[in-house]
Amino acid sequence: MTGRVALVTGAGRGIGRAIAQRLSGAGCRVALVARDRDQLEETAERCAGPTTVIPADVTDPDAAERVHAGIERSWGPVEILVANAGAGHSAKLERTTDADWQRMLDLNLTAPFRFVRRAVPAMREAGWGRIVVIASTAARIGEPYIAAYTASKHGVLGLVRSAAAELARTGVTVNAVCPGYVDTPMTGQTVENIVATSGRSPGDARAALERKQPIGRLITPDEVADAVWFCVGSGAVTGQAINVDGGAVQ
């Protein structure tokens, strides 16, 4: 992988930072994308090799074109795309507004679609490419109070499967990694929401999330990065949804 050009969205913290570090440590040149420049700079400092920091809001309709074009000018086409940027939302169905619904679709489904669409032509022409979308166990099952989030993640898994089928003979693989509850700021926000709505203590709320996974703990960002690296390294694995959830979904 030495010298391969990789792009990681949502690279400012959490899972995205761990993925960027893994790719960089393997010799890739890594473009780091997120909204917060300071967080991206911190990720860059932790990477072992060349990086470029590109602040961008991936929900901007022009973001995919602008980000890819900038990388191409400096390094050439993106060869490894990890679409990691995402967010969650929790509310009862009747309290989920149109704005909540649209925000989940824009960030978790439409943005990955645009980045995948922009990356594919160069990968197809080169006869090699790796696309990994960070989905969720919510792409596999439904749970209460996360209808908008679940719908967006089910949708992105459909995108992955269709793209994988279309690109199967081109040397380009497309996979999804589906984490459970990971020890990240996003899960911290989930804990805060549970505390606010249930009156539980933060410790009890966190323990409830840990119990959702048979291994009895949260997943680490590095464990998600392991699964991404597996997808990047294999040319025979495509169209898959790889669960990293401690055995919760079988």
Side-chain angles (χ1 to χ4, degrees), residues 198-240:
S198 71
R200 296 184 189 182
S201 71
D204 286 345
R206 183 182 175 92
L209 299 182
E210 292 171 344
R211 287 194 298 270
K212 284 180 173 288
Q213 295 162 148
I215 59 175
R217 63 169 175 83
L218 300 181
I219 308 302
T220 70
D222 284 338
E223 288 169 330
V224 182
D226 288 341
V228 171
W229 181 244
F230 169 74
C231 294
V232 171
S234 175
V237 176
T238 193
Q240 302 306 306

Side-chain angles (χ1 to χ4, degrees), residues 55-185:
D57 180 349
V58 297
T59 65
D60 183 333
D62 297 324
E65 174 60 34
R66 181 171 64 83
V67 168
H68 276 270
I71 296 167
E72 288 165 354
R73 286 192 296 269
S74 299
W75 289 342
V78 170
E79 299 167 286
I80 300 166
L81 168 64
V82 183
N84 166 73
H89 175 264
S90 177
K92 290 183 177 180
L93 274 170
E94 61 268 32
R95 294 181 179 174
T96 301
T97 67
D98 284 359
D100 295 330
W101 178 267
Q102 193 61 52
R103 180 168 58 89
M104 289 295 95
L105 294 182
D106 288 346
L107 179 55
N108 296 334
L109 178 55
T110 303
F113 161 70
R114 288 176 177 144
F115 274 81
V116 170
R117 179 178 62 184
R118 181 59 174 78
V120 161
M123 292 182 178
R124 193 196 297 266
E125 183 178 353
W128 194 94
R130 299 289 184 265
I131 297 171
V132 185
V133 179
I134 305 303
S136 167
T137 52
R140 312 295 302 275
I141 59 173
E143 290 192 23
Y145 312 124
I146 54 171
Y149 178 73
T150 299
S152 68
K153 292 299 187 178
H154 271 62
V156 85
L157 183 52
L159 166 66
V160 164
R161 288 169 168 164
S162 184
E166 181 174 334
L167 298 168
R169 294 184 179 273
T170 68
V172 180
T173 66
V174 190
N175 290 287
V177 171
C178 300
Y181 288 98
V182 184
D183 193 4
T184 63

Side-chain angles (χ1 to χ4, degrees), residues 175-200:
N175 290 287
V177 171
C178 300
Y181 288 98
V182 184
D183 193 4
T184 63
M186 181 173 168
T187 295
Q189 183 62 54
T190 301
V191 168
E192 291 178 11
N193 291 340
I194 293 172
V195 170
T197 57
S198 71
R200 296 184 189 182

